[in-house]
Amino acid sequence: MATNKEKIYKYIQKQFLKDQEDGDDKGVDTEEIVDYLNIKRSNASALLNQLVKENLLEKTTTRPVHYHLSYKICHNAFDDVVGSNNSLAESIRQAKAAINFPGGALPIHIVATPGSGTTYFSKIIIKYAKDQKIIPADATYHEINCLLLEDKPQQLNEELFGKDDNIDLLQRYKNSVVIINHYEKLDSAQIYRINHILDEYKNQNNNLIILSTVPTNENKINIPIQIKLPLFNERPLSEKLTIIEMMFEKQAKNSGKPIIVGSDLVLGLAKHVYDRGFKSLSKLITLASAKAYLRSLDNNESSININHGDLPDTFVFNKTLDVKDFQEAEELINNRERFIFKGNIKENTNDIERRYEEKLYKILNNKYQNLSQEGLSPEKIQRIVFTRVEKLFNEYGFKRRADNNPRNAETLQELSKIVPQNIINLTSKFLTKASKKLDRKFNHSIFYGLCLHINSVINLGTSSHQEISDLKIIKIRETYPKEYDLTHAFAAQLNEYLHYSFDEEQIINLLMFLIEPKQTKEHPVVLYAMHGKGAAHCLSEVTNKLNDTYNSFAYDMQLNKSLDEVYSELRSLVLKINRGQGIIVIYDMGSFKDIFNRIIDETNIPIRLINIPITLVGLEVTRRALNAINIDDIYHDVLSNLQTWNNNNTANNKQNMIITLCHTGEGGAVQLKDYIEQYSHLQFVVKAMSISDRDVLAKNVQDLRKIYNIRSFIGTYNPNLFGIPFISITKVFENSHKDLDKILSFIPVHSNSSTYDRIYDYYNEELKYTPVDKLKETMPQVLDSLNEQYELNEDQRIGVFTHIVGIIENALSGKPRQQIDINAQKMRALESDFAYLEKVLAPVEKKFNMVFNNSDLYTIAAILKKL
């Protein structure tokens, strides 16, 4: 017979179910229990309080006191999961069925793309199993991550099957949680053994077993309960917004400050497509909050205000929604201009991530204060601290671990849209073989880049020539013999299967993918600038995804913005994304060109503009389509207009000019000028200028740009002014004068003879007072001595050579020599250089019966020391 306590508990359960039907939970007071059991009030109260102590009931603090089923009884761990009644409903149903299976919990199989929330969902399963008393509350936790142990096969085997294959992991642990993550990294023999163990498994040890893998794994473990988690990007907009709000609430709680975020930014986060799902979103929000927190410290603000600049430049804020999603977004945002997060979120004492982030803001604050005391500027402090935070965040566990295998299925699917599958397969096998032979792992960008390169050469007919001389080819073959043999065999394989024969230079181009790049060298970046909402960002996103790099950025010019706003935003973006090697801008139309030219003038950042008038073409086609009937008339007219536009665009109303440079504006600069004017057929104006005073040079060039289109500088080193391209003096003289126009037009040419022989040939025709045979007798020794002392690069050697010859020619012609005012401080600094130069140049002075004065020595020293 049931006791009074059991009767009370059953009565309250029935009342709860009845209240649930009515949409309310009124609870039960003591008088109801007295009337129901016809017992004394004191006895009823005592029994109710016993049920409270046993965590079966909860009581209110009101009068009269009401008793309810405890939260743990009427709610379970899955109730608080976002999507429990929607996208995750079926997954949760299967998990509950597996855990509550009669005779013990069944093994659970989770199949999900990385970033779909596998780790989080596993934690909820474990919590639910503990709440249901399926496993003890203090159950131990044993995880085998096959991805992390992929390079340690012996250790992985021991973890799974024990040493000497004696006790497998299920026999070793009792009353425990056993997890095998990323089992797609196991071979077929290991999968067979695990299947055999699970077939014999009776769960006599009261374990909870969870296994996870990716959807593309074809060698799956046989388990009846298979839970497929949806991709984060495919979940409903309402769920994404709820998750984003929870993440911001957590940041607000951990930082100790309210966080304010504009509705457009929150909606942008919800609409964005994330390559790593939850992981990418979590990192984005954490780092954006950290950036804004640093700014709040600097401005002494009580709240954290997050703006667009706190998110990466590749982020798409204005991605187009279909009608249904747009209406849903409008309803969810409900005309709110901003979200305010105050940290109203429940604690999760087992959450390692929360404990880490609690310390994160303390680290930020302490580091900021310490650097402030050192007198650093706020901008520098923020940069230093944020870099440190990002590093800590990555080390904490949000690295792209699954990308250890560069050929993941999701990106391969995207790649296969533009690269044939046979090229992908052959390239994958080639890099796998190369990795073993060279004992080196190739990152994913090498794989994607090589696939795109091969497809470009074979199927698109793109030239792969990159001006590699015969000497350089020989040097590369000698320096990288293993790489060369592998690449040569790969080229033969490509010829066999794809019927394309690679020449020697193309093979070297393939080989370059196997050579580890110098990490210290930065590269130019690409910026898409387009009119409208989202076009540029989508192009940038596709580019980065297919190349698997983060080297392209985007700017969408909204039509309601003023040019001043656009200029301000673009200038800030250019300063932010420039990595020291300049920016190539691809833009559609309008005033972008003028804006970027203004930015070039003000920042001196090298920017190259490529105009692709896709928007203009679209406007033209649409306009004609509204006024014409014949589709071919429209088609041919637009093509004709586009051809005319291209011709007009490449032409320039200003006359083209080339500026040759040396430290005096004479000597080598004049020799270059004469050489170009004699052999070039491009009809460019050529002007020789001095590089010694950068400010004067900049002013003169700025004045010239108003009249001329400055095509390039030519000299010993790049002055880096106004984004004007630079051509090395070596490039000019190491090639035949027949190729000069190609060089001036930046068309690749191939060197096949000595640079100095070409210069001497030119001097034989051009020098009036200087015998070339005497130069051949003296200058090699001079250059060797200077190179030994100053370790010159090729440009410096050519530059100092032509400069000295220019001084000799001027001296012998009787022209007045330039006199440079050299102050005492400079003379003291160059005293040892002057002494060395006088010694080295003495044979030249004797041979030509002339003397180098201090101005001559100073300009030579300036070239040698890049003054």
Side-chain angles (χ1 to χ4, degrees):
M1 179 178 285
T3 64
N4 281 342
K5 186 170 74 171
E6 291 171 339
K7 290 177 181 178
I8 290 172
Y9 185 61
K10 287 184 178 180
Y11 174 79
I12 294 177
Q13 282 181 313
K14 288 179 182 179
Q15 287 299 114
F16 171 75
L17 293 174
K18 183 181 177 182
D19 289 344
Q20 285 261 300
E21 292 176 3
D22 299 334
D24 194 11
D25 181 12
K26 299 174 184 176
V28 175
D29 62 19
T30 308
E31 287 302 320
E32 286 184 62
I33 299 301
V34 170
D35 294 340
Y36 171 64
L37 289 178
N38 195 22
I39 59 176
K40 292 181 180 180
R41 180 182 175 85
S42 58
N43 291 340
S45 180
L47 292 172
L48 286 166
N49 282 314
Q50 283 183 28
L51 290 168
V52 170
K53 289 180 179 179
E54 293 172 11
N55 292 321
L56 296 174
L57 298 182
E58 293 174 351
K59 65 179 181 179
T60 67
T61 56
T62 59
R63 291 289 182 268
V65 175
H66 280 74
Y67 296 87
H68 302 261
L69 288 178
S70 73
Y71 183 84
K72 289 184 178 180
I73 297 300
C74 58
H75 294 78
N76 62 66
F78 289 113
D79 289 336
D80 294 325
V81 175
V82 177
S84 58
N85 295 318
N86 194 348
S87 65
L88 294 179
E90 178 60 20
S91 301
I92 290 172
R93 186 193 67 77
Q94 288 181 294
K96 286 181 176 179
I99 291 169
N100 295 308
F101 190 78
L106 295 175
I108 294 175
H109 188 194
I110 300 178
V111 179
T113 300
S116 299
T118 302
T119 302
Y120 174 75
F121 197 77
S122 297
K123 289 180 180 179
I124 300 301
I125 289 175
I126 295 167
K127 189 175 188 308
Y128 177 81
K130 289 180 177 180
D131 291 344
Q132 298 298 311
K133 314 294 184 186
I134 303 299
I135 56 174
D138 59 352
T140 54
Y141 181 90
H142 306 280
E143 178 184 0
I144 299 173
N145 192 320
C146 304
L147 179 62
L148 298 182
L149 295 175
E150 183 182 8
D151 297 329
K152 302 174 182 177
Q154 184 176 350
Q155 182 181 345
L156 177 57
N157 230 45
E158 289 179 0
E159 291 279 350
L160 290 170
F161 310 114
K163 290 187 177 181
D164 303 322
D165 298 342
N166 51 3
I167 305 177
D168 65 60
L169 74 165
L170 300 186
Q171 294 174 321
R172 288 201 299 274
Y173 307 120
K174 294 183 179 181
N175 299 314
S176 300
V177 177
V178 179
I179 295 182
I180 303 177
N181 277 333
H182 289 290
Y183 76 73
E184 68 272 7
K185 298 300 177 183
L186 301 180
D187 60 35
S188 56
Q190 291 168 319
I191 295 293
Y192 175 82
R193 292 185 65 181
I194 291 176
N195 275 323
H196 179 72
I197 291 169
L198 291 174
D199 286 343
E200 302 294 324
Y201 178 69
K202 303 299 182 185
N203 203 0
Q204 297 173 346
N205 293 337
N206 297 316
N207 290 330
L208 174 63
I209 302 167
I210 302 174
L211 303 100
S212 73
T213 190
V214 296
T216 52
N217 182 19
E218 297 178 357
N219 198 11
K220 290 191 174 73
I221 289 171
N222 301 322
I223 298 178
I225 300 293
Q226 185 177 109
I227 297 173
K228 295 182 179 179
L229 296 181
L231 286 167
F232 176 79
N233 294 324
E234 296 175 358
R235 294 182 66 168
L237 190 63
S238 58
E239 292 182 13
K240 293 180 186 176
L241 282 171
T242 303
I243 291 166
I244 288 165
E245 290 184 58
M246 290 171 62
M247 288 181 174
F248 273 123
E249 290 287 4
K250 183 174 67 172
Q251 297 301 324
K253 184 178 185 66
N254 293 334
S255 67
K257 288 186 177 186
I259 293 179
I260 301 173
V261 190
S263 297
D264 62 330
L265 196 150
V266 172
L267 189 58
L269 286 166
K271 293 184 293 182
H272 190 69
V273 176
Y274 299 94
D275 59 345
R276 299 284 295 163
F278 278 100
K279 290 180 173 65
S280 295
L281 175 62
S282 177
K283 179 173 182 176
L284 205 64
I285 288 177
T286 300
L287 295 183
S289 301
K291 270 189 181 179
Y293 178 77
L294 284 169
R295 195 166 54 249
S296 75
L297 292 178
D298 183 46
N299 298 331
N300 197 26
E301 295 172 337
S302 58
S303 60
I304 299 171
N305 292 273
I306 294 180
N307 57 47
H308 289 199
D310 296 320
L311 297 175
D313 302 295
T314 52
F315 192 84
V316 179
F317 285 103
N318 300 302
K319 191 169 183 181
T320 305
L321 294 174
D322 59 30
V323 175
K324 183 180 177 182
D325 284 343
F326 178 79
Q327 291 174 341
E328 182 185 4
E330 289 290 304
E331 185 178 338
L332 291 168
I333 297 297
N334 194 24
N335 296 322
R336 293 171 67 178
E337 291 185 3
R338 61 181 186 170
F339 285 74
I340 301 176
F341 305 101
K342 297 182 179 179
N344 300 323
I345 190 169
K346 293 180 181 179
E347 292 281 356
N348 184 350
T349 54
N350 293 322
D351 192 351
I352 299 173
E353 183 179 341
R354 176 189 60 79
R355 293 201 299 271
Y356 168 79
E357 289 185 355
E358 279 181 350
K359 295 179 181 178
L360 177 65
Y361 290 95
K362 291 180 181 178
I363 293 170
L364 281 171
N365 190 58
N366 293 338
K367 190 74 175 174
Y368 185 93
Q369 301 303 334
N370 291 338
L371 291 174
S372 295
Q373 293 173 7
E374 295 178 16
L376 295 179
S377 66
E379 294 80 9
K380 191 165 186 178
I381 292 172
Q382 290 184 21
R383 190 164 59 251
I384 293 171
V385 177
F386 182 73
T387 301
R388 174 63 177 154
V389 169
E390 191 166 21
K391 183 180 178 184
L392 286 172
F393 194 98
N394 286 332
E395 288 178 352
Y396 164 62
F398 290 84
K399 294 178 182 177
R400 299 176 64 174
R401 286 175 178 165
D403 286 353
N404 286 347
N405 176 8
R407 275 83 77 185
N408 65 72
E410 184 181 357
T411 312
L412 282 181
Q413 188 177 5
E414 296 294 328
L415 187 65
S416 64
K417 293 175 183 177
I418 57 174
V419 178
Q421 192 62 47
N422 52 7
I423 290 180
I424 293 174
N425 294 340
L426 288 169
T427 305
S428 178
K429 290 176 182 178
F430 167 60
L431 284 181
T432 300
K433 182 179 179 181
S435 182
K436 292 179 181 177
K437 293 282 186 181
L438 302 174
D439 192 25
R440 187 168 81 242
K441 287 192 174 181
F442 297 98
N443 70 42
H444 38 285
S445 62
I446 297 295
F447 170 70
Y448 303 128
L450 189 53
C451 285
L452 291 168
H453 174 77
I454 294 170
N455 182 59
S456 176
V457 173
I458 295 178
N459 294 321
L460 304 182
T462 306
S463 172
S464 64
H465 292 291
Q466 296 186 9
E467 197 180 342
I468 303 176
S469 66
D470 294 339
L471 288 175
K472 189 171 182 180
I473 289 176
I474 294 170
K475 185 176 180 180
I476 290 173
R477 289 171 58 176
E478 291 175 349
T479 308
Y480 304 101
K482 291 182 180 179
E483 288 86 348
Y484 178 78
D485 290 343
L486 284 164
T487 310
H488 203 278
F490 179 47
Q493 194 177 32
L494 291 171
N495 187 17
E496 179 184 352
Y497 289 100
L498 305 179
H499 310 294
Y500 184 92
S501 178
F502 285 80
D503 62 30
E504 190 67 11
E505 185 177 337
Q506 289 175 320
I507 291 173
I508 294 298
N509 283 328
L510 293 176
L511 182 151
M512 300 304 287
F513 283 88
L514 301 185
I515 299 174
E516 291 183 285
K518 295 180 180 178
Q519 299 298 322
T520 56
K521 183 94 172 173
E522 289 290 0
H523 299 280
V525 297
V526 176
L527 172 62
Y528 290 98
M530 302 282 171
H531 285 69
K533 294 183 177 181
H537 277 89
C538 288
L539 285 169
S540 174
E541 193 171 30
V542 169
T543 301
N544 286 332
K545 187 161 188 176
L546 290 176
N547 276 322
D548 207 57
T549 61
Y550 295 92
N551 200 43
S552 81
F553 302 88
Y555 178 80
D556 287 303
M557 181 177 172
Q558 297 182 26
L559 301 180
N560 60 350
K561 285 190 175 180
S562 69
L563 288 180
D564 286 339
E565 286 181 285
V566 174
Y567 161 75
S568 178
E569 291 174 355
L570 274 175
R571 191 179 190 279
S572 298
L573 180 58
V574 163
L575 291 170
K576 183 177 181 180
I577 68 176
N578 179 43
R579 297 172 181 172
Q581 299 300 322
I583 301 168
I584 297 173
V585 177
I586 301 172
Y587 70 99
D588 58 348
M589 64 175 187
S591 54
F592 277 127
K593 182 177 180 180
D594 293 334
I595 291 173
F596 279 111
N597 280 331
R598 181 180 168 190
I599 293 171
I600 291 169
D601 290 344
E602 293 179 359
T603 63
N604 291 336
I605 292 174
I607 297 176
R608 304 290 179 264
L609 303 175
I610 300 175
N611 184 200
I612 301 178
I614 182 66
T615 308
L616 282 175
V617 173
L619 288 169
E620 177 72 0
V621 173
T622 305
R623 184 183 68 79
R624 288 182 175 274
L626 291 172
N627 297 297
I629 298 174
N630 190 312
I631 189 172
D632 288 321
D633 288 346
I634 300 171
Y635 172 71
H636 291 295
D637 282 350
V638 170
L639 283 184
S640 176
N641 289 344
L642 183 59
Q643 183 66 42
T644 303
W645 180 91
N646 281 329
N647 292 336
N648 292 336
N649 192 55
T650 53
N652 197 309
N653 293 328
K654 298 176 183 178
Q655 190 169 3
N656 290 311
M657 172 181 276
I658 290 174
I659 296 176
T660 61
L661 298 170
C662 71
H663 276 75
T664 63
E666 301 177 355
V670 173
Q671 297 291 337
L672 272 171
K673 176 180 182 296
D674 292 342
Y675 182 84
I676 293 168
E677 288 177 339
Q678 179 176 345
Y679 292 115
S680 174
H681 302 286
L682 296 174
Q683 297 183 335
F684 292 166
V685 175
V686 186
K687 186 171 182 61
M689 298 183 70
S690 169
I691 200 174
S692 59
D693 190 324
R694 181 181 173 82
D695 293 336
V696 173
L697 175 66
K699 184 179 184 306
N700 290 336
V701 171
Q702 212 162 15
D703 291 338
L704 288 169
R705 290 178 74 206
K706 297 173 183 176
I707 305 169
Y708 297 97
N709 174 39
I710 311 297
R711 293 274 303 184
S712 62
F713 291 122
I714 304 180
T716 56
Y717 64 89
N718 191 350
N720 290 311
L721 287 175
F722 312 121
I724 296 172
F726 172 75
I727 299 174
S728 162
I729 188 175
T730 307
K731 183 74 68 69
V732 172
F733 283 120
E734 73 178 357
N735 295 287
S736 167
H737 61 77
K738 295 177 183 178
D739 292 323
L740 179 61
D741 285 346
K742 287 185 177 181
I743 294 166
L744 299 180
S745 302
F746 296 94
I747 298 172
V749 294
H750 301 281
S751 304
N752 53 19
S753 66
S754 166
T755 302
Y756 293 97
D757 287 345
R758 294 202 174 278
I759 298 175
Y760 288 133
D761 289 343
Y762 168 67
Y763 281 160
N764 265 323
E765 299 177 14
E766 295 302 314
L767 295 180
K768 295 179 181 178
Y769 305 98
T770 308
V772 174
D773 57 341
K774 290 185 179 181
L775 289 177
K776 291 181 178 180
E777 292 176 22
T778 55
M779 288 306 295
Q781 184 179 350
V782 170
L783 290 175
D784 287 344
S785 299
L786 293 178
N787 186 53
E788 184 179 345
Q789 178 73 9
Y790 295 98
E791 295 182 356
L792 307 178
N793 60 37
E794 189 65 17
D795 283 345
Q796 287 173 294
R797 287 195 291 272
I798 301 292
V800 76
F801 174 76
T802 56
H803 185 73
I804 291 172
V805 173
I807 293 173
I808 297 170
E809 179 73 1
N810 286 339
L812 297 180
S813 69
K815 290 181 181 179
R817 310 271 287 282
Q818 182 177 13
Q819 298 296 320
I820 299 174
D821 183 19
I822 310 171
N823 60 41
Q825 184 179 358
K826 287 183 179 178
M827 285 296 294
R828 285 195 299 271
L830 295 172
E831 187 176 354
S832 60
D833 296 291
F834 275 34
Y836 185 76
L837 288 174
E838 287 172 354
K839 178 183 175 183
V840 170
L841 294 170
V844 178
E845 292 177 323
K846 184 177 180 181
K847 180 67 71 174
F848 291 99
N849 193 25
M850 52 83 64
V851 176
F852 290 90
N853 61 33
N854 282 347
S855 295
D856 298 330
L857 298 177
Y858 176 77
T859 56
I860 295 171
I863 296 173
L864 298 173
K865 304 186 76 170
K866 291 186 178 180
L867 298 179

